[in-house]
């Protein structure tokens, strides 16, 4: 049975970006996304959710998750995030390791799926090199890996679209995962 790793970005004590209006954090939102994905995928795949230990600094916590994922050895690993910037930044993007053409295809497909599902702009796929944001997860995970940023949690309109269209967001994730598994 194909294995899929879902890593929830950030942790309960280091929750990532927080929406100023709702106080909803990346960690809380993506913990729900991870549970929904596991529920939807578990009939067909072996799915494991990975959380960063809250007691480690950021890089050590990411490396611990990467080690655990590498031991699990899935066919695909996805780290769940939400983007953040100013309150007007909007859109969906997916990060991939710059040397991996197949994850680039998955990332581009995913960014477009998220954009359609949430009616936000597609910011496309973003290649990540050593030293860039996400490089530890993408560069050290031994299987194909991507980092999703389906919307800006710092943008009230993007967040509202993600909450109202949550089922469409999950469907976009499922389409991206299926596409990815089909080309790997």
């Amino acid at each position: 049975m194909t294995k899929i790793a879902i890593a929830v970005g950030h942790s309960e004590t280091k929750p990532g970006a927080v929406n100023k209006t709702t106080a909803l954090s990346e960690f809380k939102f993506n913990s729900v996304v991870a549970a929904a994905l596991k529920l939807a995928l578990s009939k067909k795949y072996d799915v494991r959710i990975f959380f960063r230990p809250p007691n480690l600094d950021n890089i050590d916590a990411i490396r611990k998750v990467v080690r655990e994922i590498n031991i699990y050895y899935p066919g695909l690993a996805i780290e769940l995030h939400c983007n953040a910037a100013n309150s007007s930044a909007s859109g969906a993007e997916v990060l991939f390791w710059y040397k991996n053409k197949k994850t680039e295809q998955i990332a581009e497909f995913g960014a477009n799926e998220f954009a359609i599902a949430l009616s936000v702009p597609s910011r496309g796929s973003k290649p990540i090199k050593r030293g860039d944001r996400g490089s530890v997860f993408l560069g050290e995970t031994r299987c194909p890996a991507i980092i999703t940023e389906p919307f800006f949690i710092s943008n009230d309109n993007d967040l509202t679209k993600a909450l109202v269209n949550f089922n469409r967001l999950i469907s976009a994730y499922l389409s991206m995962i299926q596409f990815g598994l089909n080309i790997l």
Side-chain angles (χ1 to χ4, degrees), residues 1 15 33 39 128 141 154 176 182:
M1 182 178 282
V33 170
L39 182 65
I128 300 301
T141 302
S154 56
M176 180 192 67
N182 286 343

Side-chain angles (χ1 to χ4, degrees), residues 60-87:
D60 289 340
I62 295 167
R63 284 203 165 104
K64 184 169 183 359
V65 167
V66 167
R67 280 193 303 274
E68 290 172 358
I69 289 171
N70 287 340
I71 291 167
Y72 177 57
Y73 202 67
L76 179 64
I78 302 165
E79 188 170 61
L80 308 177
H81 283 272
C82 305
N83 232 332
N86 59 52
S87 62

Side-chain angles (χ1 to χ4, degrees), residues 2 4 37 40-41 44-45 76 78 106 109-110 113 146 170-184:
T2 301
I4 300 169
L37 290 174
L41 292 165
K44 193 172 177 183
Y45 303 104
L76 179 64
I78 302 165
I106 298 167
F109 183 90
E113 287 292 301
I146 57 171
I170 297 304
S171 292
Y173 268 106
L174 296 174
S175 293
M176 180 192 67
I177 290 166
Q178 191 60 59
F179 174 82
L181 293 174
N182 286 343
I183 67 166
L184 293 174

Side-chain angles (χ1 to χ4, degrees), residues 96-104 127-129:
F96 68 96
W97 189 244
Y98 74 104
K99 290 182 178 180
N100 191 317
K101 291 298 179 195
K102 290 198 178 195
T103 56
E104 179 179 9
I128 300 301
K129 295 180 179 177

Side-chain angles (χ1 to χ4, degrees), residues 121-173:
S122 176
R123 297 166 59 95
S125 58
K126 305 288 185 208
I128 300 301
K129 295 180 179 177
R130 185 108 10 240
D132 293 343
R133 70 178 172 138
S135 65
V136 173
F137 182 81
L138 295 173
E140 296 181 16
T141 302
R142 290 191 197 125
C143 69
I146 57 171
I147 296 175
T148 59
E149 306 261 15
F151 66 95
F152 278 78
I153 199 166
S154 56
N155 178 319
D156 288 348
N157 193 37
D158 270 22
L159 176 57
T160 298
K161 288 177 180 182
L163 294 170
V164 169
N165 298 297
F166 187 78
N167 289 337
R168 290 177 66 184
L169 176 63
I170 297 304
S171 292
Y173 268 106

